[in-house]
Amino acid sequence: MVTYNYQDFFKMRKANRLLVGALLMGIVVSCQKDDQESYETVNPLTERTTAGGETTVYLTSSNSFSTPAANLSASQIADHFDADLEFGAVFVSAPAEVNGGVGPVFNNTSCVSCHPKDGRSAFPSNINSLSGFFLRASLPGTDDLGGPVAVPGFGKQLQNQAIYGYEPEVQFSVEFTNQVETLADGTEVILKKPTYNVVDTYIPFPSEANLSPRLAPPVFGLGLLEVIPEYYILQYEDVNDADGDGISGKANYVYNHVTESTTLGRFGWKANTASIIEQCAGAYLEDMGITTPLFPQETGHDQSNGNDGLGDDPEVTYDVLEQVAFYCKTLGVPAARNLDQEHIQNGARIFEDLKCASCHVPKMISEEADINVLANQEFYPYTDMLLHDMGPGLADNRSDFLADGQEWKTRPLWGIGLTQVVNGHTHFLHDGRAKNVTEAILWHGGEAEAAKNGFKNLSASERQDLLDFVNSL
């Protein structure tokens, strides 16, 4: 077996991404996939090391989230690095000949600015600076497609930046209130509950509108999540809690702008988007003000501050949109680490005992896939891809298709322990309010209330074993 020399790999990547693709011609990378049982009985735990199946990459540096899948062919590697250039493209105002069209209102200027090193944004020290943070907005009710109702004059996402000569829609504001959680051994953890608002609006903002914060998550492994068979996800659905365990996962069904039909939602913090290409097109439009054939109108096209009037839409071609989607689909998943260590294995047992695995389901599979290297994989994202009621503490009170104001999609845990290494922080949950894994657990409520209380009642050593296990993923 021939493996990547990652140090040289990333040096070459900076110099010439296309050259890297050529130099890797003929390399054969394989990861042995063993026959495995369902997640409840996987033994030994070390079989979960290959978190991304054959796409798994073995890297623990700051480039852990930015490595192409290990099983790509030479031509796919070249395509991946072509797409990498588009993912990193910084847009400027029209009519620039290269990467023109940002805005007129926007939140950021490139994909990589929101997903640094293909990872997780930190909560910004200045909430109105360019960052991976933004606010969704909607009026109560549902629109003609079953989704959120756009706020007149503002749309469904609020843009706090604008190009020269235009005015941003809003500025964001946030205030924090301390909440204290006391663990069984007397340890006190101070949680900071954020309350968001908007100020300096270009026109009056409706008081009845709902706001929902978002922080950009990692983008690796998305290709595998897109090709999990629907039946495999639905086996974990238990809307009416028929088994009486207090956990009632629910699938979100959303309007799919690619197929123009209602399909299973898979992406976004509320599983409100059906496909990666639609997620990318939505980010181009709402985050950057860049139009595509999928969403060809400026985000502020009917607003006094949001239409550039140039008639150059769409500003990005469908080919480029497909390239960026391909890039997200073909990033490798970092391997889990140290699963042979006794304290990590004890942490995994505690994870199961607290029923964390009822929502953070370890194992998923793929079957058919348009990208051949994603097909027929067994992998370990630790998510059920379903919505769960997380209680009033995390509620945004904003519905999104079938998701209500207290429901959120289970986030995958793979790669979580490398967040500090890659992105220099450990800001978790949908708005980064949790500053480490402990705080993230203590924010759980609703269906996860019992698991949170179980965590609070662990001994200090048990708690550390559980945290070590989560951080090994």
Side-chain angles (χ1 to χ4, degrees):
M1 182 177 72
V2 181
T3 57
Y4 296 156
N5 181 325
Y6 288 110
Q7 184 176 4
D8 292 342
F9 172 81
F10 282 103
K11 287 180 180 178
M12 290 187 291
R13 182 188 188 204
K14 290 182 179 179
N16 189 321
R17 289 180 170 89
L18 297 181
L19 176 60
V20 173
L23 291 175
L24 291 174
M25 295 285 284
I27 287 180
V28 177
V29 180
S30 65
C31 296
Q32 183 64 40
K33 181 176 69 177
D34 299 324
D35 292 335
Q36 296 171 328
E37 299 175 67
S38 64
Y39 82 87
E40 295 92 342
T41 56
V42 169
N43 187 29
L45 183 67
T46 51
E47 292 186 7
R48 302 183 189 177
T49 298
T50 52
E54 293 170 354
T55 76
T56 303
V57 295
Y58 296 84
L59 201 67
T60 58
S61 73
S62 61
N63 292 308
S64 297
F65 300 162
S66 299
T67 310
N71 58 344
L72 296 182
S73 69
S75 63
Q76 288 171 328
I77 289 171
D79 290 342
H80 177 92
F81 283 112
D82 280 344
D84 189 3
L85 295 174
E86 298 295 345
F87 192 83
V90 177
F91 286 88
V92 296
S93 57
E97 292 185 7
V98 178
N99 297 339
V102 73
V105 291
F106 61 97
N107 296 122
N108 216 318
T109 58
S110 71
C111 303
V112 74
S113 295
C114 286
H115 305 279
K117 295 191 174 182
D118 304 307
R120 187 186 311 268
S121 279
F123 188 85
S125 56
N126 176 354
I127 199 171
N128 283 298
S129 62
L130 290 174
S131 73
F133 176 87
F134 58 85
L135 290 174
R136 290 272 167 84
S138 61
L139 296 178
T142 57
D143 67 8
D144 293 342
L145 300 177
V149 178
V151 180
F154 294 90
K156 298 178 184 179
Q157 183 168 315
L158 304 180
Q159 283 79 33
N160 64 334
Q161 311 288 335
I163 63 174
Y164 180 77
Y166 290 82
E167 185 179 1
E169 292 178 334
V170 302
Q171 294 292 282
F172 305 147
S173 70
V174 61
E175 294 182 353
F176 294 95
T177 304
N178 288 349
Q179 295 181 185
V180 179
E181 290 278 359
T182 304
L183 309 184
D185 62 3
T187 301
E188 290 189 348
V189 180
I190 299 175
L191 306 179
K192 292 186 176 294
K193 181 178 177 63
T195 300
Y196 299 97
N197 210 331
V198 293
V199 296
D200 297 333
T201 60
Y202 84 106
I203 59 174
F205 189 75
S207 60
E208 68 272 24
N210 296 314
L211 298 176
S212 185
R214 295 288 189 277
L215 203 63
V219 294
F220 65 82
L222 299 185
L224 288 170
L225 299 181
E226 187 173 56
V227 294
I228 301 169
E230 185 169 340
Y231 79 83
Y232 199 86
I233 295 172
L234 296 183
Q235 72 174 314
Y236 296 106
E237 190 178 35
D238 186 14
V239 177
N240 298 313
D241 191 21
D243 61 6
D245 67 352
I247 298 171
S248 51
K250 181 177 79 176
N252 200 359
Y253 282 90
V254 306
Y255 184 78
N256 185 327
H257 286 84
V258 176
T259 63
E260 298 183 336
S261 63
T262 298
T263 57
L264 178 69
R266 295 172 182 261
F267 303 105
W269 286 98
K270 288 185 177 255
N272 58 300
T273 305
S275 67
I276 295 171
I277 197 164
E278 184 175 341
Q279 184 80 4
C280 293
Y284 268 124
L285 181 70
E286 301 286 8
D287 298 358
M288 293 180 274
I290 301 294
T291 55
T292 66
L294 200 56
F295 299 123
Q297 287 187 315
E298 299 280 358
T299 182
H301 66 91
D302 60 349
Q303 300 172 196
S304 62
N305 70 328
N307 188 355
D308 62 15
L310 295 178
D312 59 348
D313 304 308
E315 294 156 328
V316 162
T317 67
Y318 206 85
D319 285 345
V320 169
L321 184 59
E322 287 185 314
Q323 277 187 294
V324 172
F326 180 84
Y327 177 76
C328 296
K329 293 178 185 182
T330 55
L331 284 166
V333 176
R337 301 157 306 285
N338 304 320
L339 298 185
D340 58 342
Q341 296 185 10
E342 184 176 351
H343 72 289
I344 298 291
Q345 295 186 355
N346 187 49
R349 286 190 289 270
I350 296 169
F351 188 86
E352 297 279 348
D353 291 345
L354 295 181
K355 299 190 183 303
C356 303
S358 295
C359 300
H360 292 284
V361 174
K363 180 184 175 182
M364 287 285 156
I365 66 167
S366 67
E367 292 180 347
E368 297 179 356
D370 291 339
I371 301 175
N372 64 315
V373 298
L374 302 177
N376 303 312
Q377 299 295 315
E378 294 179 347
F379 53 98
Y380 298 92
Y382 288 82
T383 175
D384 59 5
M385 302 289 286
L386 299 174
L387 299 169
H388 293 275
D389 184 338
M390 297 299 291
L394 288 177
D396 64 354
N397 301 312
R398 179 180 182 269
S399 61
D400 207 332
F401 293 97
L402 300 184
D404 68 28
Q406 291 194 171
E407 290 177 322
W408 300 92
K409 190 192 86 171
T410 307
R411 283 296 308 163
L413 297 181
W414 54 10
I416 190 170
L418 292 168
T419 304
Q420 178 67 54
V421 173
V422 175
N423 295 127
H425 68 85
T426 53
H427 300 175
F428 300 124
L429 301 180
H430 63 283
D431 60 354
R433 68 180 64 188
K435 295 304 181 278
N436 50 54
V437 174
T438 295
E439 289 189 17
I441 294 170
L442 293 175
W443 274 112
H444 283 50
E447 296 174 39
E449 186 76 24
K452 178 187 78 173
N453 290 332
F455 173 78
K456 292 172 65 175
N457 287 321
L458 295 174
S459 67
S461 62
E462 290 172 328
R463 193 165 66 241
Q464 191 59 55
D465 285 353
L466 174 63
L467 295 174
D468 288 346
F469 165 67
V470 172
N471 283 311
S472 74
L473 300 177

